[in-house]
């Protein structure tokens, strides 16, 4: 899994691509611990074509920290397979989910 | 032109109470779900792309609609938060909006429209913003404000949101939709105005159909019934002999008994509701009103066969000796034997020994032990009252639809008992 | 819990005694036989009977059958059985089975009893 | 898909991808061969994700077992396509309460996802192996 981040206005855009499953989840976990993501964050999942419960768990962890710090978190570009995981677990209720990154950054 | 349908999870709780276990938008009115009427409006307005967004669970909606191919629509889904404003919803669905004019149906169950009028210009040329609202649901236009080349078109087509927040209002709207059937796309074949009949509908002789009437699929209307005017009969429904259904709604999977009068009521499964008084009665008497459970699954077929073979085995053991003992005394089972043999033949039949040879066919699986024709024992024999073949068929229809594998055992005992009391001529 | 609480002979309204029978709770297949026995015994004292159903919460077709057969007995004895205080739910069953056509039904028992009074114009 | 397919992998999280890919491929072959009702992509995804979750679950509970293995068998019958995931771990309880998302849980989704995506699940224990059997039917009963 490839991870990159950039700034867009006062948002940080964290872009993930590839497989986010139990095998690649630790890689994202350590990346998040090493990097400072305070402030408003948008996670772009456009290039994520497979998400499992471990990947979901990490995203929910981010949501919890953002909520605790009263900071904004948005997800963007979820394809149907990724959306399905959020829906069947009801995790969608924890996230603001956008079609596109720039609409999220408005 | 596209349509965005916003479903608020906590809305329409009155519908959840009245028709539990169903998503409010999938509840039917005039035999068609609310959502499908919204799809019809969208199609008539020229919007083939539809997105359904909800702040609640959409599994049921997704399973019902899939990608919308069934209606020639392209349906996508998205989730929103309970607190989202219209602008936030717009932002979250930006790719769907994509500089198009969007008809937003927010928290709506039904829109009154007329399929013979044209809505495309009217909706395209109206300005962005609220078009209609009744305080609960609303229709508004969003997305690109088309500097339309068309001026504001002449008269606006008929479009309104009915009051729909209680059972009486549901009941009144249902009757109104049926009365104005030509404005909507009502399901069923309609060879004449005000009459819509579904597939696989059997209307027996002596039945009177008074328009306007709509009947769903897989429906049996037994002889002597009067249906209508203003009757909505759902799918998989049986209306038994000489019953009257007028100004009423019989929801799907409902059995209405014999010589009854359903007038200005709603019958759903074994529940009878009076929209006028709000009264609701859960009937325990299956012969009056009951729910028709759907056909058994593969699993039930296998279990049923097992139950039948086991019961046949027990019967075989119980009847073996009496059969061997009495059989020689009973000539060919000729009806009306005289004197001594007659009495033995009668005893022979009353113990159902005449059916003994057929048990082997149950073991081989070629014949059911009990069921509708053909079977060793017919469901009709579990009741005393059937006089003719028609009565027998009704009992069997009712039993088949309501039967489950283990239910066959008490029915078998009843059949054996009836034959013992020889209430039924030794047929 | 017997479906029939008690009954009283009310003679204040009219010359002939009118019996008021109170039904309460559930009247179904399990206890409708009690109505038969109480009713036939009551019939010996008065053939004008009012069945007060204000406290009747649930009725099934066996219960309804018991009430209809009581009506038949009352008529055979030259009297009548009138109902009062039917709740909306119970009325649903009467309407469904068209049984409401067999009875004159009043809102409360006083009206029902009064209806037996030959002096009062119908 | 006439014959059963069998895959045996070391209980190592790195192989999760292989387990899910095999499941996805098996589902795709079956779906096209039998012609399922509903969306094929959704059917394959359901299988891919469920087997992946089950495999991950087995690896997680293998913890210190050096030579632990996870075997996945696929076969088809009247009920649809079935995957049987078995491992050498100690017994586990396949029925888990649904995660309460309001608590922002980071775990406990795996088995719940399987319950949601598959039409039937059964757990058994044979010769000290956990056997998790998951079936998705080709023609789920319509509403």
């Amino acid at each position: 899994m490839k991870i990159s981040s950039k700034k867009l206005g006062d948002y940080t855009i964290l872009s993930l691509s590839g497989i986010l499953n139990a095998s690649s989840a630790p890689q994202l976990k350590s990346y998040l611990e090493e990097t400072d993501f305070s402030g408003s964050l948008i996670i772009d999942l456009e290039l994520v074509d497979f998400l499992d419960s471990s990947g979901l768990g990490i995203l929910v962890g981010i949501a919890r920290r953002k909520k605790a710090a009263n900071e904004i978190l948005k997800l963007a570009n979820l394809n149907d397979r990724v959306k399905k995981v959020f829906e069947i677990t009801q995790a969608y209720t924890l996230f603001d989910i956008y079609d596109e990154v720039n609409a999220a950054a408005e | 032109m596209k349509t965005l349908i916003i479903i608020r999870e906590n809305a329409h709780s009155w519908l959840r109470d009245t028709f539990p276990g169903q998503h409010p938008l999938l509840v039917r009115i005039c035999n068609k779900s609310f959502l499908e009427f919204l799809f019809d409006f969208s199609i008539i307005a020229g919007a083939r792309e539809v997105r359904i967004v909800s702040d609640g669970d959409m599994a049921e909606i997704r399973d019902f609609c899939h990608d919308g191919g069934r209606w020639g629509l392209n349906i996508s889904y998205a989730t929103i938060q309970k607190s989202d404003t219209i602008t936030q919803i717009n932002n979250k669905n930006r790719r769907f909006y994509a500089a198009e004019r969007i008809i937003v149906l927010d928290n709506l169950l039904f829109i009154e429209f007329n399929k013979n009028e044209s809505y495309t210009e009217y909706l395209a040329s109206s300005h962005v913003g609220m078009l209609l609202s009744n305080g609960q649901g609303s229709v508004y236009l969003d997305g690109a404000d088309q500097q339309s080349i068309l001026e504001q078109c002449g008269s606006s087509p008929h479009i309104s949101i009915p009051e729909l927040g209680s059972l009486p209002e549901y009941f009144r709207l249902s009757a109104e939709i049926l009365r104005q059937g030509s404005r909507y796309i009502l399901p069923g074949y309609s060879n004449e105005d005000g009459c819509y009949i579904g597939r696989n509908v059997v209307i027996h002789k002596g039945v009177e159909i008074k328009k306007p009437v709509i009947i769903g699929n897989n429906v049996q209307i037994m002889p002597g019934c009067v249906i209508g005017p203003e009757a909505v009969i759902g799918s998989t429904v049986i209306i038994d002999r000489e019953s009257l259904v007028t100004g009423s709604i019989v929801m799907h999977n409902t059995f209405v008994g014999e010589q009854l009068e359903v007038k200005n009521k709603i019958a759903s499964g074994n529940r009878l509701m009076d929209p006028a008084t709000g009264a609701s009665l859960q009937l325990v008497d299956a012969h009056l009103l009951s729910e028709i459970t759907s056909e058994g699954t593969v699993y039930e077929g296998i279990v049923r066969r097992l139950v039948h073979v086991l019961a046949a085995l027990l019967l075989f053991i119980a009847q073996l000796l009496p059969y061997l003992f009495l059989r020689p005394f009973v000539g060919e089972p000729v009806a009306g034997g005289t004197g001594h043999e007659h009495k033995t033949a009668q005893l022979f039949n009353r113990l159902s020994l005449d059916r003994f040879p057929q048990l082997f066919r149950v073991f081989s699986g070629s014949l059911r032990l009990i069921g509708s024709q053909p079977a060793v024992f017919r469901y009709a024999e579990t009741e005393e009252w059937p006089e003719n073949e028609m009565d027998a068929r009704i009992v069997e229809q009712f039993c088949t639809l309501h039967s489950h594998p283990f239910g066959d055992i008490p029915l078998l005992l009843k059949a054996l008992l009836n034959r013992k009391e020889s209430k039924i001529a030794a047929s | 819990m017997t479906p029939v609480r008690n009954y009283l002979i009310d003679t204040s309204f009219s010359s002939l005694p009118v019996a008021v029978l109170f039904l309460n709770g559930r009247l179904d297949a399990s206890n409708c036989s009690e109505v038969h026995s109480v009713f036939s015994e009551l019939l010996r004292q008065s053939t004008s009977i009012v069945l007060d159903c204000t406290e009747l919460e649930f009725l099934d077709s066996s219960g309804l059958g018991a009430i209809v057969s009581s009506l038949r007995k009352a008529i055979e004895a030259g009297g009548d059985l009138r109902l009062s205080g039917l709740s909306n739910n119970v009325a649903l069953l009467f309407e469904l089975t068209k049984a409401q056509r067999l009875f004159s039904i009043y809102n409360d028992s006083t009206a029902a009893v009064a209806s037996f009074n030959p002096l009062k114009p119908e | 898909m006439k014959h059963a397919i069998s895959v045996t992998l070391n209980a190592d999280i790195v192989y999760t991808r292989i387990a899910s890919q095999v499941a996805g491929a098996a589902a795709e072959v079956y779906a096209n061969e039998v012609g399922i009702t509903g969306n094929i992509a959704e059917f394959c995804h359901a299988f891919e994700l469920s087997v992946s979750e089950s495999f991950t679950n087995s690896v997680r509970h293998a913890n210190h077992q050096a030579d632990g293995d996870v075997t996945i068998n696929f076969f088809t019958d009247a009920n649809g396509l079935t995957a049987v995931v078995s491992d050498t771990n100690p017994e586990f309880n396949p029925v888990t309460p649904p995660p309460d998302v309001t608590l922002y849980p980071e775990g406990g989704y795996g088995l719940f996802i399987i319950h949601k995506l598959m039409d039937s699940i059964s757990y058994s224990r044979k010769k000290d192996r956990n056997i998790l059997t998951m079936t998705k039917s080709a023609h789920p009963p319509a509403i």
Side-chain angles (χ1 to χ4, degrees):
Chain A
M1 193 181 71
K2 286 202 272 332
I3 309 170
S4 66
S5 72
K6 61 181 176 10
K7 284 297 244 178
L8 176 62
D10 45 24
Y11 279 93
T12 308
I13 316 291
L14 175 67
S15 301
L16 308 177
S17 77
I19 309 293
L20 180 47
N21 65 6
S23 173
S24 55
Q27 179 195 345
L28 174 59
K29 206 170 178 66
S30 49
Y31 178 91
L32 290 169
E33 275 144 15
E34 289 145 15
T35 333
D36 161 35
F37 277 107
S38 55
S40 306
L41 174 66
I42 297 176
I43 304 180
D44 181 356
L45 298 164
E46 182 173 19
L47 302 174
V48 172
D49 44 36
F50 185 80
L51 176 78
D52 74 358
S53 60
S54 317
L56 178 68
I58 292 184
L59 297 178
V60 169
I62 300 173
R64 188 162 41 78
R65 282 193 295 280
K66 282 295 176 188
K67 187 167 192 299
N70 220 327
E71 290 170 347
I72 291 176
L73 169 65
K74 298 179 181 179
L75 305 182
N77 283 322
L78 280 69
N79 64 38
D80 277 347
R81 288 156 56 103
V82 172
K83 251 187 206 176
K84 181 85 170 179
V85 176
F86 279 87
E87 275 181 19
I88 57 177
T89 57
Q90 313 278 324
Y92 63 84
T93 53
L94 307 177
F95 295 93
D96 281 318
I97 298 173
Y98 287 71
D99 271 359
E100 290 171 350
V101 170
N102 34 40
E106 262 168 33
Chain B
M1 187 99 77
K2 294 185 176 180
T3 303
L4 185 77
I5 297 177
I6 302 176
I7 302 176
R8 310 277 181 184
E9 188 183 33
N10 304 335
H12 317 307
S13 50
W14 64 278
L15 255 178
R16 286 184 195 279
D17 304 338
T18 317
F19 303 111
Q22 254 185 28
H23 191 286
L25 274 146
L26 296 182
V27 168
R28 296 180 210 213
I29 189 161
C30 270
N31 284 355
K32 193 170 191 175
S33 64
F34 283 119
L35 193 52
E36 281 171 289
F37 275 106
L38 297 184
F39 288 162
D40 288 345
F41 175 71
S42 178
I43 292 167
I44 285 159
R48 291 283 165 170
E49 296 263 338
V50 173
R51 173 167 285 195
I52 302 178
V53 297
S54 173
D55 53 20
D57 184 2
M58 282 199 285
E60 220 182 319
I61 300 275
R62 271 178 175 268
D63 287 348
F64 179 73
C65 304
H66 292 299
D67 60 5
R70 184 154 57 120
W71 301 279
L73 294 174
N74 181 354
I75 299 181
S76 59
Y77 304 88
T79 58
I80 54 170
Q81 297 296 334
K82 295 204 182 340
S83 53
D84 278 354
T85 62
I86 298 309
T87 0
Q88 281 167 317
I89 294 175
N90 178 321
N91 290 342
K92 288 187 175 181
N93 296 281
R94 182 61 51 76
R95 186 173 299 135
F96 175 75
Y97 273 56
E100 289 255 3
R101 163 48 53 91
I102 308 293
I103 311 163
V104 181
L105 309 179
D106 186 352
N107 197 31
L108 259 186
L109 282 174
F110 194 81
I111 299 176
E112 284 165 329
F113 63 92
N114 184 340
K115 71 173 192 265
N116 312 312
E117 291 179 46
S118 131
Y119 290 85
T120 317
E121 297 81 22
Y122 170 67
L123 292 170
S125 59
S126 302
H127 289 297
V128 165
M130 186 68 72
L131 196 65
L132 285 166
S133 174
N134 71 351
Q136 218 204 18
S138 57
V139 177
Y140 52 86
L141 302 174
D142 200 349
D145 194 0
Q146 324 230 252
Q147 281 64 35
S148 59
I149 38 164
L150 320 144
E151 324 76 27
Q152 181 71 15
C153 71
S155 68
S156 61
H158 169 71
I159 174 172
S160 60
I161 305 177
E163 282 308 319
L164 189 48
S166 65
L167 192 62
E169 284 166 347
Y170 167 87
F171 189 69
R172 207 177 317 117
L173 179 62
S174 170
E176 212 175 294
I177 295 171
L178 187 54
R179 268 198 304 275
Q180 303 161 341
S182 59
R183 290 183 174 197
Y184 302 100
I185 305 162
L186 293 184
Y189 164 73
S190 170
N191 56 357
E192 52 179 300
D193 229 5
C195 185
Y196 306 84
I197 311 276
R199 296 187 310 275
N200 186 14
V201 172
V202 177
I203 300 181
H204 290 273
K205 60 183 177 344
V207 168
E208 213 184 317
I209 305 279
K210 293 181 182 165
K211 294 190 309 217
V213 146
I214 182 164
I215 297 178
N217 306 322
N218 313 318
V219 170
Q220 295 235 16
I221 315 260
M222 294 306 174
C225 284
V226 175
I227 306 292
E230 272 179 33
V232 177
I233 310 288
S235 294
T236 320
V237 163
I238 299 176
I239 314 280
D240 211 339
R241 287 179 329 159
E242 283 143 31
S243 278
L244 169 83
V245 178
T246 173
S248 293
I249 303 171
V250 177
M251 304 294 283
H252 49 289
N253 294 340
T254 300
F255 168 81
V256 176
E258 220 179 71
Q259 284 145 3
L260 299 181
E261 192 174 276
V262 183
K263 211 166 162 198
N264 307 326
K265 303 282 186 305
I266 299 178
S268 174
N270 64 353
R271 246 148 57 98
L272 189 62
M273 296 171 257
D274 181 349
T277 64
S280 163
L281 183 64
Q282 196 101 11
L283 278 143
V284 293
D285 315 282
H287 64 281
L288 290 181
L289 205 63
S290 60
E291 193 175 5
I292 294 180
T293 46
S294 60
E295 223 25 53
T297 53
V298 169
Y299 155 76
E300 222 171 79
I302 298 167
V303 171
R304 185 187 300 277
R305 239 191 70 57
L306 202 63
V307 165
H308 280 214
V309 167
L310 281 177
L313 202 60
L314 293 175
L315 205 54
F316 177 85
I317 296 162
Q319 289 187 327
L320 185 60
L321 287 182
Y323 179 82
L324 295 176
F325 180 70
L326 284 174
R327 185 65 185 80
F329 297 98
V330 177
E332 267 322 299
V334 166
T338 54
H340 179 58
E341 310 102 337
H342 175 60
K343 205 164 265 58
T344 331
Q346 220 192 10
L347 175 66
F348 191 79
N349 289 342
R350 278 173 57 191
L351 294 176
S352 300
L353 296 176
D354 54 338
R355 305 285 174 83
F356 185 78
Q358 294 173 17
L359 291 180
F360 299 100
R361 290 180 56 202
V362 178
F363 298 141
S364 68
S366 66
L367 189 64
R368 291 162 79 147
L369 182 60
I370 181 161
S372 46
Q373 197 65 9
V376 177
F377 293 94
R378 291 182 58 184
Y379 278 139
E381 290 174 312
T382 61
E383 299 283 340
E384 298 91 21
W385 54 272
E387 288 104 25
N388 51 41
E389 190 43 33
M390 171 61 75
D391 290 349
R393 277 233 321 281
I394 291 173
V395 173
E396 288 178 355
Q397 177 84 26
F398 179 69
C399 288
T400 322
L401 283 167
H402 282 216
S403 78
H404 54 80
F406 299 103
D408 280 352
I409 303 230
L411 289 177
L412 176 67
L413 298 176
K414 265 176 85 178
L416 288 168
L417 208 63
N418 282 347
R419 300 207 72 233
K420 199 168 80 54
E421 259 93 37
S422 71
K423 288 200 177 63
I424 303 166
S427 58
Chain C
M1 227 278 278
T2 82
V4 186
R5 193 151 40 83
N6 55 23
Y7 58 89
L8 55 91
I9 306 289
D10 184 315
T11 55
S12 55
F13 277 94
S14 63
S15 52
L16 27 94
V18 176
V20 180
L21 191 58
F22 293 90
L23 290 181
N24 58 29
R26 290 177 65 92
L27 177 54
D28 53 30
S30 62
N31 57 17
C32 62
S33 50
E34 277 172 51
V35 172
H36 286 295
S37 46
V38 166
F39 193 83
S40 11
E41 187 210 313
L42 177 63
L43 213 48
R44 281 199 293 279
Q45 292 161 26
S46 161
T47 57
S48 312
I49 300 171
V50 168
L51 208 56
D52 185 327
C53 306
T54 8
E55 305 289 325
L56 183 63
E57 284 146 27
F58 178 80
L59 183 71
D60 74 354
S61 62
S62 331
L64 179 62
I67 295 175
V68 171
S69 73
S70 305
L71 170 68
R72 198 169 24 77
K73 284 190 206 134
I75 292 172
E76 276 157 15
D80 190 9
L81 169 64
R82 296 175 186 173
L83 307 180
S84 73
L86 278 186
S87 74
N88 287 338
N89 288 6
V90 172
L92 267 181
L93 188 63
F94 275 82
E95 282 168 39
L96 178 68
T97 56
K98 297 181 272 191
Q100 90 275 13
R101 294 186 190 155
L102 306 171
F103 298 92
S104 17
I105 303 175
Y106 298 84
N107 288 339
D108 53 61
S109 52
T110 33
V113 168
S115 70
F116 278 103
N117 184 339
L119 310 177
K120 211 158 76 57
E122 258 321 301
Chain D
M1 194 155 70
K2 306 290 174 293
H3 323 293
I5 298 171
S6 179
V7 179
T8 301
L9 301 165
N10 272 341
D12 183 331
I13 205 67
V14 169
Y15 299 135
T16 309
R17 181 78 182 124
I18 297 174
S20 55
Q21 288 289 74
V22 169
E28 197 180 334
V29 168
Y30 170 75
N32 289 306
E33 201 178 278
V34 166
I36 58 161
T37 49
N39 183 308
I40 289 190
E42 242 173 69
F43 182 88
C44 296
H45 175 245
F47 233 81
E48 202 174 322
L49 185 49
S50 298
V51 171
S52 171
E53 294 297 346
S54 173
F55 180 85
T56 310
N57 192 35
S58 296
V59 168
R60 277 229 176 84
H61 294 126
N63 40 50
H64 39 70
Q65 273 178 357
D67 54 2
D69 78 81
V70 182
T71 306
I72 309 170
N73 291 319
F74 299 93
F75 63 87
T76 63
D77 60 17
N79 298 328
L81 178 60
T82 299
V84 182
V85 179
S86 74
D87 60 43
T88 50
N89 300 338
E91 201 166 347
F92 78 96
N93 175 356
V95 180
T96 55
D100 177 356
V101 279
T102 56
L103 308 174
Y104 288 76
E106 296 194 35
Y109 296 105
L111 287 167
F112 178 69
I113 286 176
I114 301 176
H115 279 281
K116 280 284 184 178
L117 290 176
M118 288 287 136
D119 294 322
S120 78
I121 297 181
S122 64
Y123 169 78
S124 58
R125 183 109 180 126
K126 243 185 241 115
K127 294 200 273 323
D128 58 46
R129 285 182 77 95
N130 294 311
I131 319 273
L132 191 68
T133 309
M134 315 177 248
T135 303
K136 193 160 181 63
S137 64
H139 308 292
I143 295 174

